[in-house]
Amino acid sequence: MTERKAGYFLYHSIGQYPGKESDLSNAMAELAAVWSAPDDQQWPYMLGKRAEFIDLWRQLISAPDGSVTTCENVTQGVHMLTTALPADLLRGRKVLVAADCFPSNHFLLSRLQERFGFELKTVHPRQGAHWVADEDMIAEWDKDVALALITWVSSTTSHKVDLDALVRHGRTMDSLIGVDITQAAGLLPFSVADPEIDFAVSTSLKWMCGAPGAGMLYVRPDLIADCRPELRGWFSQDNPFNWDINAFDYAPDVRRFDNGTPAILPAAATVPALTWHAGMDRAALLHHNRLLCDILIDGLDDLGVGLLSPRSRTERGGSLMLDLTTAEAASKTLADLNRTGYSADTRGATLRLSPGAQTTEDATRALIDVFARSIGNA
C-alpha cells in the first residue's frame, strides 16, 4: 500500500503540497478572527489579501502593475474580456479556438457568437490524431480572425502548443490573442511579454495548489483602454467610493474589469499556496515532474499501454493521458490504484496521471506494478 501523499497524481485537477492543510487552516482561522472581530479592520485586511493574491500571480507571469485582477474561473475571465471589447471588433469576423480547448470556453463562445455576430471557428484534430496540430491552427488563422483563444496545454492530452509560433503568426493577422494557461501555470515557465499576448486566464488550482473560485485575468495594458466591461459596479471605478450615480467613470487600469464587491475568500484561501509556490525552486519542480513522467512512460510502454500525450518533453505539459481502450477498463484500473493508495482520475477510456511536488519516485515505480496486475500483465 502506497502512502496516499506519495501516490498523489492529480495535479491536473486540484494540486497538493507539503503543509497545505496546516497553511490553509491557519489562514482561514486568521481570516475568521479578523472578520468576526467587533471593530472596523475587516476590509483593510480582506482587500489586502486580495491584493497579495493579485501580486503573487502578477509576479508569476511577469505582468506589469495594473494588468491583473481576480475572476471566479477561466470561463468567467474569458466572458469578462470578450464582452468588454469594442462592439465592431468581433462582428462579422471569426473567433478561433482548437477543439481540444477546455470545453467550458467553447460552450461560452458558441453562445456569445449569436449575440456578438462572430463566427466561432473550431479547428479539429486530423483523423487519427489526439490533439490539434499547430500548423492546422495556423492554416485556419487568416485576416478574418479577430480573436484567437489559445489553449497552452490541453487537459485531454497534455499537448503543449508552440506558443511562439502561434503568436508570431497571429500578429501578422492583426488578431487579438488570448491564452488559457490553466493546465501548466506554475509548472512550465510563462510570461505575458514573451511572446507578448493580449490577455491570459487561469484558475489557481492544479500546479498552483490553490482554492476553487480563485481565477486570474490578465489584460495587456494597451488593450485595457479600449475595453468597456458591461458588468460594472462600484469597484470598476478609480475611486470606488464615488456615490454620484451620474458620474461613473471606468478605472484607468485592469480594475475596470471588477464590478461589485469582490469575492475575496477564494483569493485569501489561495494566498498560502501561491506563497509556497513563490518560494520554491521552479526548475526543480519541473525536473521532478519530468523524471517521474519518464519513469511512467518507460514502465507503461513495457506493459503495452497506449499513450495519448506527446512523448517529447518540449511538446508536453506535466500530465500523461493513457488510453485504456474502454471506460470500463479505465474505471477498473482507477479503482485498483485507489485501493493501493493512489489518486488519479479518468475521462471515459482515458486515465490521467500528473505527478507533482508530493509524488515520490518510489511511489511512481510501484504504480507500474499495480498497473501490471490491474490489466493482467503481471
Side-chain angles (χ1 to χ4, degrees):
M1 176 73 72
T2 295
E3 198 268 328
R4 184 63 71 172
K5 290 182 179 180
Y8 188 81
F9 284 83
L10 274 174
Y11 284 86
H12 56 266
S13 179
I14 297 175
Q16 306 292 349
Y17 68 90
K20 180 178 179 179
E21 181 179 0
S22 175
D23 286 353
L24 183 56
S25 296
N26 291 338
M28 292 300 93
E30 179 182 280
L31 186 149
V34 171
W35 192 249
S36 304
D39 57 29
D40 62 352
Q41 296 305 302
Q42 286 82 7
W43 285 115
Y45 173 85
M46 296 294 277
L47 292 174
K49 285 297 178 183
R50 182 173 184 256
E52 192 175 352
F53 170 89
I54 289 172
D55 198 50
L56 285 163
W57 259 111
R58 189 182 60 76
Q59 293 176 44
L60 178 69
I61 62 175
S62 303
D65 286 334
S67 66
V68 173
T69 190
T70 58
C71 55
E72 184 176 350
N73 50 52
V74 164
T75 312
Q76 186 186 70
V78 174
H79 183 274
M80 289 163 63
L81 185 285
T82 305
T83 57
L85 295 172
D88 59 349
L89 192 147
L90 299 179
R91 189 166 301 280
R93 301 183 70 193
K94 299 176 185 175
V95 171
L96 186 71
V97 294
D100 55 357
C101 69
F102 184 51
S104 190
N105 288 332
H106 200 277
F107 298 153
L108 169 68
L109 293 170
S110 63
R111 177 66 179 88
L112 289 182
Q113 69 177 330
E114 303 171 19
R115 177 180 165 197
F116 289 91
F118 61 82
E119 175 192 354
L120 181 60
K121 179 63 179 178
T122 306
V123 185
H124 292 272
R126 300 175 186 180
Q127 186 173 3
H130 301 309
W131 57 79
V132 176
D134 295 336
E135 53 266 35
D136 291 342
M137 280 287 285
I138 289 173
E140 296 289 349
W141 196 334
D142 56 25
K143 289 282 187 178
D144 288 334
V145 173
L147 184 153
L149 179 59
I150 299 171
T151 301
W152 187 28
V153 172
S154 168
S155 63
T156 57
T157 63
S158 199
H159 171 253
K160 180 173 73 72
V161 301
D162 184 341
L163 194 58
D164 287 334
L166 292 178
V167 171
R168 187 165 55 247
H169 175 78
R171 291 300 173 215
T172 68
M173 297 295 111
D174 297 321
S175 306
L176 287 180
I177 302 170
V179 186
D180 178 358
I181 67 172
T182 302
Q183 285 293 335
L187 180 68
L188 303 183
F190 180 84
S191 168
V192 298
D194 185 21
E196 186 181 50
I197 59 172
D198 297 302
F199 69 96
V201 288
S202 183
T203 70
S204 297
L205 298 169
K206 309 177 194 301
W207 310 101
M208 298 305 299
C209 302
M216 177 280 300
L217 170 66
Y218 158 79
V219 185
R220 180 173 54 82
D222 291 347
L223 176 61
I224 290 174
D226 296 329
C227 294
R228 294 175 59 83
E230 63 177 6
L231 181 60
R232 67 186 195 181
W234 69 308
F235 264 74
S236 311
Q237 306 175 104
D238 194 25
N239 174 21
F241 295 99
N242 164 46
W243 300 126
D244 185 345
I245 61 173
N246 297 310
F248 175 88
D249 192 21
Y250 284 109
D253 54 20
V254 77
R255 289 174 297 154
R256 67 176 52 197
F257 286 91
D258 298 337
N259 43 83
T261 306
I264 298 174
L265 186 59
T270 295
V271 165
L274 299 188
T275 302
W276 164 81
H277 186 272
M280 294 300 293
D281 182 336
R282 295 173 191 166
L285 287 174
L286 179 57
H287 175 77
H288 180 65
N289 168 266
R290 294 312 198 203
L291 171 64
L292 301 191
C293 283
D294 287 347
I295 292 170
L296 288 171
I297 291 173
D298 290 344
L300 294 169
D301 276 351
D302 291 342
L303 298 177
V305 177
L307 181 64
L308 299 176
S309 303
R311 291 183 176 275
S312 171
R313 290 181 172 188
T314 60
E315 298 176 6
R316 191 178 70 234
S319 305
L320 295 178
M321 280 63 171
L322 310 175
D323 182 8
L324 298 191
T325 309
T326 67
E328 293 74 18
S331 294
K332 177 185 180 300
T333 298
L334 179 61
D336 291 339
L337 289 171
N338 285 338
R339 277 193 298 270
T340 50
Y342 291 94
S343 298
D345 68 9
T346 60
R347 292 291 184 271
T350 301
L351 189 141
R352 305 192 296 177
L353 297 172
S354 303
Q358 287 194 157
T359 322
T360 67
E361 184 174 344
D362 287 344
T364 302
R365 295 188 185 280
L367 181 146
I368 305 299
D369 295 331
V370 177
F371 230 99
R373 292 192 296 273
S374 180
I375 64 177
N377 281 5

